[in-house]
Amino acid sequence: MNSAISLTDVTAGYESTVVFTHLSLEIHSGQFAGIVGPTGCGKTTLLKTILGSHAVFSGSVLLNGQPVNNVHNKKIGYVPQLESVDWSFPVTVEEVIMMGLYAGKRLLPWQSKEERERVHDLAEKLGIYNCLRQHIAYISGGQRQRTFLARALINNPQLLVLDEPTSGVDIKTQHEVLHLLGDINSQGMTILLTTHDLNAVASHLPWVICFNNGLVAEGRPRDIFTNKILAETYGSDIIIIKHGDYYLIANSTPLNL
């Protein structure tokens, strides 16, 4: 099986601060994987390292067998945390999706008829066609997530990377987004995301990476969602209740009422 992402003995961080050391990790082509771990454990640093937007202190990062800095941006689609977006910026849904066209080496400042048709077709597939002319501040959380997903997909990337795509939306929207990503993955695209929602991961993702300033464990949810592994990942006791193929995962620390 071909490797879409390969990190070998990677040490990375910010300036003089090391976030993780000697990390080796491989994501196969066509895989749908999620990275879980506590806040501040280095998940976003790991994503930026994979994207090539964050230099490493040592080790190698390969995408499809090539050094990440040699990989054309059009091969990677990226969806940032929605909390980082300035929702007051004067831009419509259509214009946000259009921004994805500039990820590659594109010189013309206007869009062709074919490019507009691509935007409209993708918006229709993602269920946001009726929002195209609306300001991004006036659409729902689920529509915002689909808008930035469309921006990431407009160039037909080989790899889709998402930072907390289920954060800040309701449970129904979380499941809709993950189902949508599952459909995209079923067409052959490699998908890697970070998330805090263990229950959604257990229900939707076939492969999970437990991370806390380094790799704790990886595998299928049913194999690695154990009290021992999750306690090591999160630094606290975790309750896991299994009912058939469904999981309920919660922190066991009682509330002080």
Side-chain angles (χ1 to χ4, degrees), residues 26 85 125 135 163 181 183 189 226 237:
E26 185 173 12
V85 176
K125 288 178 182 178
H135 187 285
D163 197 0
L181 292 175
D183 290 341
M189 186 175 295
T226 66
D237 291 333

Side-chain angles (χ1 to χ4, degrees), residues 26-195:
E26 185 173 12
I27 303 295
H28 298 298
S29 295
Q31 200 163 10
F32 185 13
I35 303 171
V36 300
T39 300
C41 74
K43 297 190 300 295
T44 297
T45 301
L46 176 56
L47 287 192
K48 290 181 177 180
T49 300
I50 291 169
L51 291 168
S53 61
H54 190 77
V56 301
F57 297 149
S58 62
S60 68
V61 181
L62 304 179
L63 297 184
N64 295 317
Q66 299 181 37
V68 63
N69 292 329
N70 294 344
V71 175
H72 198 286
N73 288 338
K74 288 181 69 174
K75 294 183 179 180
I76 308 173
Y78 174 57
V79 180
Q81 292 187 29
L82 293 190
E83 287 83 353
S84 66
V85 176
D86 179 4
W87 299 110
S88 65
F89 191 79
V91 66
T92 65
V93 168
E94 183 175 23
E95 289 167 337
V96 169
I97 300 173
M98 288 285 190
M99 290 177 184
L101 294 170
Y102 294 88
K105 297 179 179 178
R106 191 176 185 280
L107 301 178
L108 295 177
W110 59 85
Q111 294 78 39
S112 67
K113 178 183 177 182
E114 291 75 15
E115 287 172 334
R116 288 189 177 277
E117 288 176 351
R118 281 170 55 198
V119 169
H120 290 184
D121 289 345
L122 184 56
E124 187 168 3
K125 288 178 182 178
L126 296 183
I128 52 173
Y129 182 81
N130 293 333
C131 305
L132 283 174
R133 300 302 171 88
Q134 290 184 254
H135 187 285
I136 56 172
Y138 304 123
I139 59 177
S140 71
Q143 290 167 334
R144 290 176 178 179
Q145 192 60 264
R146 289 169 184 260
T147 296
F148 279 86
L149 180 57
R151 185 186 72 163
L153 294 173
I154 193 64
N155 281 317
N156 298 315
Q158 296 175 353
L159 169 65
L160 180 62
V161 177
L162 308 96
D163 197 0
E164 300 289 349
T166 59
S167 177
V169 296
D170 58 40
I171 293 176
K172 179 176 181 293
T173 302
Q174 288 178 7
H175 287 287
E176 288 176 350
V177 169
L178 290 173
H179 274 299
L180 179 58
L181 292 175
D183 290 341
I184 294 170
N185 171 253
S186 69
Q187 299 170 22
M189 186 175 295
T190 307
I191 300 178
L192 178 66
L193 60 83
T194 62
T195 182

